[in-house]
Amino acid sequence: MSFPGVRGSSPEQCHGVLDLAGRALAAESARYEAMGWMRGTSGNLSVTLSRDPLRLAVTASGLDKGALTAGDVVEVDADGQAVPGQVKAPSAEAGLHARIAGAAGAGAVVHVHAMAPVLAAEFWPDGVELRDLEMLKGFGRRAHDDVVTVPVVPNDQDMRVLGDAFEAGFRADTPALIVARHGIYVWGDDLAHARQRLECLEWLLRFRTRLYRAFEGSPQ
């Protein structure tokens, strides 16, 4: 699902777009919460509303992701700040969503706290290498003769620091970022595309970490 730009639209049209985005974000959040990837109030999702200027709809802060409603969404600018007139506060990580959307041209960004990416970052803090696995096709890469390195950056509470680290290692053909001891960001053309990539990548990282641990840390 994609969303039309809201700039230049009437207040009624803007509200309608945000409502549509909120419904989609709530449904996706409930899906991830049921999978155990958005425990407590953790994680956040966004969709891009317009490019010029950059505007995103981001899930609101501090809410149970399994019980969001269409109204639990905030429109933010290119810095991740709520645009005037918003009632709720956006996720504190909205700034990184905006940096990713701007650099990657993403239509949606999903951030979850699945365990496999966090474990993988512990084993391979300089980047997680994947190769010769069929599931890489679902992540948008070739199953063979293609080395995929998922970047890992240290965690930081300053989204500008994380944004700079993301852009420093950004590759257009690798739509993911692991934040060490925190979680993973994956993006795509829309929420369904980002979900497909995330689910495939989570499987790949789970396989990689389990294989590594099965051989007691021997290189694989």
Side-chain angles (χ1 to χ4, degrees):
M1 179 181 292
S2 59
F3 299 89
V6 297
R7 300 303 98 198
S9 301
S10 68
E12 292 77 14
Q13 289 173 318
C14 291
H15 177 76
V17 171
L18 283 173
D19 182 74
L20 182 64
R23 291 177 187 278
L25 291 168
E28 286 297 290
S29 295
R31 179 189 181 99
Y32 291 132
E33 192 276 339
M35 296 170 74
W37 293 358
M38 299 183 89
R39 295 179 184 275
T41 64
S42 69
N44 31 76
L45 312 181
S46 69
V47 293
T48 300
L49 299 173
S50 67
R51 298 284 175 194
D52 187 17
L54 183 64
R55 294 289 186 268
L56 280 67
V58 182
T59 49
S61 178
L63 300 176
D64 183 340
K65 298 306 187 298
L68 296 183
T69 68
D72 296 323
V73 63
V74 185
E75 183 184 347
V76 301
D77 61 19
D79 295 320
Q81 299 299 309
V83 302
Q86 304 293 294
V87 176
K88 297 182 178 179
S91 164
E93 293 155 341
L96 184 52
H97 281 253
R99 292 285 289 271
I100 292 171
V109 180
V110 299
H111 168 51
V112 301
H113 290 191
M115 183 65 71
V118 180
L119 286 176
E122 291 290 297
F123 296 142
W124 302 285
D126 296 323
V128 185
E129 188 175 286
L130 303 166
R131 65 171 77 198
D132 299 331
L133 290 161
E134 190 72 16
M135 194 69 84
L136 281 167
K137 291 180 179 178
F139 185 58
R141 300 290 291 270
R142 297 192 305 274
H144 302 286
D145 302 319
D146 189 9
V147 178
V148 178
T149 302
V150 182
V152 176
V153 300
N155 193 20
D156 200 289
Q157 300 307 304
D158 188 332
M159 292 304 108
R160 291 170 297 181
V161 172
L162 283 181
D164 290 346
F166 152 70
E167 290 191 357
F170 171 64
R171 283 186 48 165
D173 62 356
T174 306
L177 175 72
I178 300 174
V179 179
R181 300 200 170 192
H182 184 167
I184 188 166
Y185 291 78
V186 178
W187 50 93
D189 295 338
D190 53 31
L191 284 170
H193 192 213
R195 178 209 309 156
Q196 174 189 357
R197 286 174 163 178
L198 172 60
E199 291 180 349
C200 291
L201 182 57
E202 190 276 340
W203 185 95
L204 289 160
L205 295 172
R206 188 151 35 96
F207 170 84
R208 188 78 172 88
T209 54
R210 287 187 180 183
L211 184 65
Y212 183 82
R213 295 172 76 179
F215 287 88
E216 297 183 350
S218 299
Q220 299 296 324

